[in-house]
Amino acid sequence: MKRLWIGATVLLILLIGGILSTSYLCAFHQDLTQTLTQAVDSAQAGQWQQALSLCRDARQDWQRHFRFSAAFTDHAPLEEMDQLFAQLEICQEEVLTQKFILTCTRLSHLSQAVGDSYVPHWWNIL
């Protein structure tokens, strides 16, 4: 009987950990997507300094959460996002507005896709 309770407790801890990590990463990627979208909107409106500030905030958030994201998801989109953030730095230094907008848009879409991969769907349960 003791082994049953130990097993059930371990399974419950794993379930709670999975739910918490899923909700945390989903929320993080939604926030990152929103920040990058705002940076695109600011750049298109000609508000370059605001776009740079938003991009800097997104990059700092990304660097803080990268390892945690990498522990729970596929590395390919994360590595691509990391490369795109590096490209954004070049766009900022050279004031390449169109390239900045395209790169931010691509980052936003990737972040949205990664975040969507954490959302539980009924077909995943079956």
Side-chain angles (χ1 to χ4, degrees):
M1 191 65 159
K2 182 179 177 181
R3 289 183 183 169
L4 172 71
W5 287 110
I6 291 172
T9 303
V10 168
L11 287 175
L12 183 62
I13 290 169
L14 289 173
L15 177 65
I16 291 170
I19 290 170
L20 290 175
S21 66
T22 297
S23 62
Y24 176 78
L25 287 171
C26 186
F28 163 68
H29 281 282
Q30 285 177 346
D31 290 343
L32 185 65
T33 300
Q34 183 179 10
T35 302
L36 291 167
T37 303
Q38 289 173 351
V40 168
D41 293 341
S42 295
Q44 287 175 333
Q47 300 169 340
W48 186 247
Q49 292 304 318
Q50 183 178 0
L52 293 179
S53 175
L54 287 165
C55 185
R56 192 172 20 260
D57 292 345
R59 174 76 185 221
Q60 289 172 350
D61 286 346
W62 172 251
Q63 289 174 336
R64 270 197 318 270
H65 296 93
F66 177 78
R67 288 189 177 122
F68 188 77
S69 288
F72 293 100
T73 191
D74 182 22
H75 289 246
L78 298 182
E79 290 173 3
E80 185 177 351
M81 289 177 72
D82 209 33
Q83 290 173 353
L84 289 171
F85 272 115
Q87 288 178 11
L88 276 180
E89 287 182 22
I90 295 169
C91 294
Q92 293 170 2
E93 291 171 6
E94 301 294 323
V95 191
L96 303 171
T97 308
Q98 292 302 319
K99 179 77 172 162
F100 177 87
I101 291 170
L102 291 173
T103 306
C104 263
T105 301
R106 177 70 181 138
L107 265 169
S108 175
H109 287 263
L110 271 173
S111 182
Q112 183 68 41
V114 171
D116 287 347
S117 71
Y118 292 112
V119 176
H121 298 284
W122 64 269
W123 54 83
N124 292 343
I125 297 170
L126 300 177

